[in-house]
Amino acid sequence: MTDGDTPLVGIVFVSHSADLARGIVEVAGQMAPSVALVAAGGTDDGGVGTSFLKVTSAIDEADAGAGVVVLSDLGSALMIAETVADQLPDSRRSRVAVVDAPFVEAGVAAAVAAETRGDFTAVVAAAEGAREAWEGMPASGGPIASASTASSPARSETGDAPGSDESVVRFVREVTLRNKDGLHARPAAEFVKLANTFDAKVTVNGKDARSLLGIMSLGLNVGASAEIASSDPGGETAVNALAALVESGFGEA
């Protein structure tokens, strides 16, 4: 599939269950409607297992020329995916990556990265990032940030750049989650898509604003506050835009 004239990286989901593969395609499709998301679940006769032919066909279907990332649910599914990839011609093998990472999390992260027109390397990195994205999340799954009911105005802070005598300006906004379900998958994807439209690096409570799993791992619920910040030149525009999106409530009550 393409976004305009630019082909997008496709994603293949290899599962022992056809329903499970279709389910993750449905979930990821809510956040990445432009991306070719292809399910390769179950055996050729509809049973539980994996199929060499289904995986081969799915890679063919997902490949628009920008590359394909393949995710799998269990060990033998990974083995089948790797076998299919190994038997591709060299000209195609170089743009097919089988990533051994959490099936759902890596798939959604890869899909959003592809939707934001990330190249093959960026989409692979997004999928691989699922392995460590949840580091630092509280065991309870609650928000890291403390609850707050008020948003702060934009402010800038000046400090010393690490390892140099130069000072840097840090643009900061404190925002409060207004939508009733907090920063769940859909609004998190919208947030990450917007962050990817800016060159400036932005963080949310220290997490990269371009990382879907990093943002979701914050566990921000309604009423929680978040610090959106950037030290990059031009970062103020990105910080303000992202803060405005959060404060809009993402169109949710």
Side-chain angles (χ1 to χ4, degrees):
M1 187 171 291
T2 63
D3 181 5
D5 295 328
T6 304
L8 303 181
V9 176
I11 316 293
V12 169
F13 296 93
V14 182
S15 171
H16 284 64
S17 164
D19 288 341
L20 181 56
R22 286 193 293 266
I24 182 59
V25 164
E26 181 181 8
V27 171
Q30 293 293 313
M31 294 170 262
S34 302
V35 178
L37 306 170
V38 185
T43 60
D44 293 335
D45 59 1
V48 173
T50 51
S51 160
F52 185 95
L53 291 177
K54 282 190 174 183
V55 176
T56 301
S57 176
I59 290 175
D60 289 343
E61 182 180 345
D63 188 4
V68 178
V69 172
V70 184
L71 284 307
S72 56
D73 61 353
L74 296 172
S76 57
L78 174 64
M79 182 180 66
I80 290 290
E82 290 177 335
T83 301
V84 171
D86 286 342
Q87 295 190 15
L88 292 171
D90 290 343
S91 59
R92 294 191 62 204
R93 179 69 187 89
S94 62
R95 63 173 190 266
V96 175
V98 179
V99 178
D100 184 10
F103 186 53
V104 175
E105 291 86 351
V108 170
V112 171
E115 180 73 19
T116 58
R117 306 178 74 171
D119 62 15
F120 182 53
T121 300
V123 177
V124 171
E128 291 178 335
R131 300 190 190 104
E132 66 270 6
W134 303 98
E135 290 181 357
M137 186 174 182
S140 64
I144 290 176
S146 59
S148 172
T149 57
S151 298
S152 69
R155 69 178 191 273
S156 60
E157 303 170 341
T158 303
D160 295 332
S164 77
D165 295 330
E166 298 180 355
S167 62
V168 296
V169 176
R170 183 168 177 264
F171 303 103
V172 181
R173 290 282 300 270
E174 296 281 346
V175 295
T176 300
L177 272 292
R178 300 176 183 277
N179 50 313
K180 63 182 178 61
D181 295 323
L183 208 57
H184 62 89
R186 189 196 65 78
E190 293 302 313
F191 187 90
V192 169
K193 289 177 190 176
L194 180 59
N196 274 283
T197 66
F198 296 98
D199 292 332
K201 180 179 180 181
V202 179
T203 61
V204 182
N205 291 356
K207 296 282 188 178
D208 185 353
R210 297 172 179 169
S211 169
L212 177 67
L213 297 180
I215 295 301
M216 292 183 67
S217 72
L218 293 172
L220 295 173
N221 297 317
V222 60
S225 65
E227 181 190 83
I228 303 175
S230 176
S231 299
D232 282 4
E236 185 173 14
T237 300
V239 168
N240 284 332
L242 291 166
L245 178 62
V246 173
E247 291 173 338
S248 75
F250 300 93
E252 298 178 346

